[in-house]
């Protein structure tokens, strides 16, 4: 099964009627897609009353991909609000309980930064992270090319299989060491994640610019690019039970439209979506 959604639910204007309140946007979003990536969890460990509301606002079959908190993946600048890494992981796992109890947690996404390269200390840290997370399904996404260089690629994939990491496959600009190629390999038979970051090469490179967040994911996939990926997603589906697909190219508001195009290209009709509001005007 191919399960398609986007990153976040607040900024996709093409999905919503004019009178949608921010508080109700997830309910409306769930009428379009069966999954979403919770990127707010990256910036702060979310209180359980938030995730409890989000669970209640979505249909029974809806699935959440929760991004790991930035302190867990080495993105945090300055001090963390936790006494130790162990306490940080405990707080994050506690925040996941509403999703888990409702059967709505697809996975936790550990996205590591471009400076997290392939070396023994980082391999050991990945092992430690997986131990801390226990039996919670976790996806692993790299941003440093060294993990998939010819001399390390097979070892990286074998390590992920042994440790039970779900592979997060990326479509992104090939911009030197700070990006990875799309490696179309599964590492677990039940789930794989594919994330579309766009192909804005120049925006990807401007990581020190004031507006880098605005331009980094500014890209709209054309039909040829989506059609090529539709074939690849079907190939992944042959060997993996659930192929999760997330469009993250929303600097210009393109993610939701591209996600809907992909659904049409794959001729998917999702059942059990939330009822849609009628836009009378």
């Amino acid at each position: 099964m191919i399960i398609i959604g986007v990153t976040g639910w607040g900024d996709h204007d093409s999905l919503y009627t004019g009178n949608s309140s921010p508080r109700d946007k997830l309910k409306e979003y769930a009428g379009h897609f069966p999954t979403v990536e919770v990127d707010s969890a990256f910036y702060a460990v979310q209180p359980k009353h938030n995730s409890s509301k989000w669970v209640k606002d979505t249909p029974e079959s809806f699935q959440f991909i929760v991004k790991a908190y930035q302190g867990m993946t080495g993105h945090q600048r300055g001090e963390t609000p936790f006494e130790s890494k162990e306490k940080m992981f405990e707080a994050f796992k506690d925040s996941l309980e509403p999703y888990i109890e409702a059967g709505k947690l697809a996975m936790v996404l550990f996205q590591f930064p471009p400076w997290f390269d392939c070396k023994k200390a980082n391999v050991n840290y990945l092992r430690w992270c997986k131990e801390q997370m226990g039996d919670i399904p976790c996806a692993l996404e790299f941003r440093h090319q060294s993990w998939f260089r010819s001399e390390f690629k097979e070892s990286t994939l074998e390590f992920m299989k042994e440790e039970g990491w779900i592979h997060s496959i990326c479509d992104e600009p090939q911009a030197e060491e700070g990006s990875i190629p799309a490696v179309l390999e599964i590492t677990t038979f039940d789930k794989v994640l594919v994330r579309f970051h766009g192909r804005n090469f120049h925006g990807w490179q401007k990581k020190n610019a004031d507006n880098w967040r605005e331009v980094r994911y500014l890209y709209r996939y054309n039909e040829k690019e989506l059609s090529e990926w539709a074939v690849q997603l079907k190939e992944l589906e042959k060997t993996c039970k659930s192929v999760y697909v997330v469009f993250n190219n929303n600097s210009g508001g393109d993610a939701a439209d591209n996600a809907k195009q992909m659904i049409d290209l794959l001729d998917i009709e999702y059942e059990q979506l939330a009822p849609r509001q009628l836009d009378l005007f």
Side-chain angles (χ1 to χ4, degrees), residues 219-230:
Y219 190 82
R220 189 176 187 91
Y221 287 91
N222 61 42
E223 188 166 347
K224 180 177 181 293
E225 291 165 340
L226 293 175
S227 296
E228 289 170 352
W229 260 108

Side-chain angles (χ1 to χ4, degrees), residues 2-48:
I2 300 173
I3 306 157
I4 299 173
V6 297
T7 300
W9 56 85
D11 299 325
H12 308 284
D13 293 341
S14 64
L15 298 180
Y16 305 117
T17 56
N19 59 353
S20 298
S21 72
R23 184 173 177 79
D24 293 330
K25 278 189 173 180
L26 179 56
K27 292 179 184 178
E28 200 163 344
Y29 171 96
H32 297 273
F33 301 112
T35 189
V36 74
E37 182 182 305
V38 183
D39 57 346
S40 57
F42 173 79
Y43 300 101
V45 175
Q46 296 296 303
K48 281 201 279 191

Side-chain angles (χ1 to χ4, degrees), residues 156-195:
T156 295
L157 293 169
E158 190 59 34
F159 167 77
M160 292 173 70
K161 290 174 184 176
E162 289 173 358
E163 294 292 315
W165 286 102
I166 298 163
H167 190 192
S168 177
I169 301 168
C170 297
D171 184 272
E172 62 190 31
Q174 295 307 292
E176 300 175 353
E177 289 189 337
S179 58
I180 59 168
V183 177
L184 298 171
E185 301 267 359
I186 66 165
T187 52
T188 58
F189 291 107
D190 58 336
K191 294 175 184 177
V192 66
L193 176 62
V194 181
R195 297 178 81 229

Side-chain angles (χ1 to χ4, degrees), residues 1-2 161 169 184-192 231-243:
M1 183 177 185
I2 300 173
K161 290 174 184 176
I169 301 168
L184 298 171
E185 301 267 359
I186 66 165
T187 52
T188 58
F189 291 107
D190 58 336
K191 294 175 184 177
V192 66
V231 173
Q232 293 170 332
L233 294 176
K234 286 179 180 177
E235 285 299 309
L236 288 170
E237 188 184 21
K238 290 178 182 178
T239 54
C240 192
K241 181 180 177 183
S242 298
V243 180

Side-chain angles (χ1 to χ4, degrees), residues 88-248:
M88 177 170 56
F89 272 75
E90 286 175 17
F92 182 80
K93 286 189 291 183
D94 186 59
S95 75
L96 299 175
E97 283 186 6
Y99 303 113
I100 295 170
E101 289 173 1
K104 292 187 176 185
L105 181 65
M107 67 191 75
V108 172
L109 169 62
F110 281 74
Q111 182 194 63
F112 284 89
W115 54 88
F116 190 83
D117 58 349
C118 186
K119 61 184 181 183
K120 186 173 182 179
N122 289 339
V123 171
N124 288 339
Y125 181 68
L126 291 174
R127 283 198 178 96
W128 185 85
C129 287
K130 201 67 176 59
E131 288 173 6
Q132 298 302 305
M133 297 302 291
D135 59 359
I136 295 170
C138 296
L140 178 55
E141 180 173 322
F142 296 113
R143 279 285 169 86
H144 195 281
Q145 279 190 0
S146 59
W147 296 93
F148 292 119
R149 284 187 190 137
S150 57
E151 64 267 36
F152 294 129
K153 178 183 173 183
E154 292 307 318
S155 296
T156 295
L157 293 169
E158 190 59 34
F159 167 77
M160 292 173 70
K161 290 174 184 176
E162 289 173 358
E163 294 292 315
W165 286 102
I166 298 163
H167 190 192
S168 177
I169 301 168
C170 297
D171 184 272
E172 62 190 31
Q174 295 307 292
E176 300 175 353
E177 289 189 337
S179 58
I180 59 168
V183 177
L184 298 171
E185 301 267 359
I186 66 165
T187 52
T188 58
F189 291 107
D190 58 336
K191 294 175 184 177
V192 66
L193 176 62
V194 181
R195 297 178 81 229
F196 288 88
H197 297 304
R199 299 179 182 179
N200 185 351
F201 179 87
H202 296 292
W204 198 263
Q205 293 286 72
K206 292 181 178 179
K207 49 185 175 290
N208 296 319
D210 291 339
N211 66 336
W212 73 272
R213 288 186 187 279
E214 297 172 20
V215 300
R216 189 172 175 85
Y217 304 106
L218 184 61
Y219 190 82
R220 189 176 187 91
Y221 287 91
N222 61 42
E223 188 166 347
K224 180 177 181 293
E225 291 165 340
L226 293 175
S227 296
E228 289 170 352
W229 260 108
V231 173
Q232 293 170 332
L233 294 176
K234 286 179 180 177
E235 285 299 309
L236 288 170
E237 188 184 21
K238 290 178 182 178
T239 54
C240 192
K241 181 180 177 183
S242 298
V243 180
Y244 286 85
V245 178
V246 173
F247 282 83
N248 189 40

